[in-house]
Amino acid sequence: MFVCLGNICRSPMAEAVFRHLVKQKGLGDKIFADSCGTARYHIDKPPHEGTRAILNLHGISYAGIKASQLEKRHLSEFDGIVAMDSENLSDILRIKNKNSTAWVKLLSDFSKGNWRDVPDPYYTGDFELTYKLITEGCEMLLEHIRNTSSF
């Protein structure tokens, strides 16, 4: 589960990129991805037009992705929760309890780059940088999953 603030820019982009990578590797029947936001600003809305544009440019489908909000149950329904930035990470950890089974990490935890947070293009307008960082993180996340799971 990929998580950002409003679930219209970064986390739906990560969900779409990750699903694309999973499909390319022939693992679509084994790995499920979803996304949500820590806030409820955009519930049921499609990804931001900038997110849709960058995904279209790279031939990546975002079909069926609509904004939703993180719920406590997600911390047990998913194996892992991937936050786009430190603030989202703090919000996730605030609702995590002793019954939560999912690991919680930043997307940058799977990167070899010198970045920590994925900047929010809703505010920066830089969807290209966001796409670059998300793609790098998703590629490394998938590599990590393939190296640590038995399919």
Side-chain angles (χ1 to χ4, degrees):
M1 171 74 78
F2 295 97
V3 181
C4 69
L5 179 62
N7 193 217
I8 60 169
C9 294
R10 296 172 292 172
S11 58
M13 185 185 298
E15 176 187 351
V17 167
F18 191 73
R19 288 194 315 195
H20 181 77
L21 295 169
V22 165
K23 185 177 178 183
Q24 282 183 327
K25 299 292 184 188
L27 297 170
D29 60 333
K30 295 177 176 36
I31 299 173
F32 174 76
D34 202 351
S35 65
C36 62
T38 56
R40 27 180 321 106
Y41 304 135
H42 307 288
I43 301 292
D44 290 329
K45 291 184 181 173
H48 185 280
E49 63 189 37
T51 295
R52 295 192 312 260
I54 198 81
L55 292 172
N56 285 334
L57 182 67
H58 293 279
I60 298 174
S61 173
Y62 48 86
I65 297 177
K66 287 186 178 179
S68 63
Q69 186 177 17
L70 180 67
E71 299 177 22
K72 283 184 183 183
R73 66 180 175 81
H74 292 137
L75 287 125
S76 293
E77 291 178 358
F78 287 85
D79 294 324
I81 309 291
V82 181
M84 296 295 112
D85 66 37
S86 303
E87 191 172 320
N88 301 139
L89 180 65
S90 293
D91 291 340
I92 296 163
L93 293 174
R94 201 173 359 267
I95 69 166
K96 187 174 170 65
N97 62 38
K98 64 180 185 204
N99 298 323
S100 302
T101 56
W103 49 258
V104 179
K105 295 188 176 281
L106 285 169
L107 183 61
S108 60
D109 290 341
F110 300 99
S111 170
K112 294 179 182 171
N114 288 335
W115 54 277
R116 180 166 171 79
D117 293 343
V118 177
D120 191 344
Y122 187 85
Y123 299 106
T124 68
D126 195 344
F127 286 87
E128 186 61 46
L129 173 61
T130 300
Y131 176 80
K132 177 183 175 276
L133 296 177
I134 283 174
T135 300
E136 176 188 318
C138 284
E139 287 171 348
M140 299 305 293
L141 170 59
L142 182 55
E143 184 177 319
H144 171 77
I145 291 169
R146 291 180 73 196
N147 289 336
T148 58
S149 301
S150 56
F151 292 116

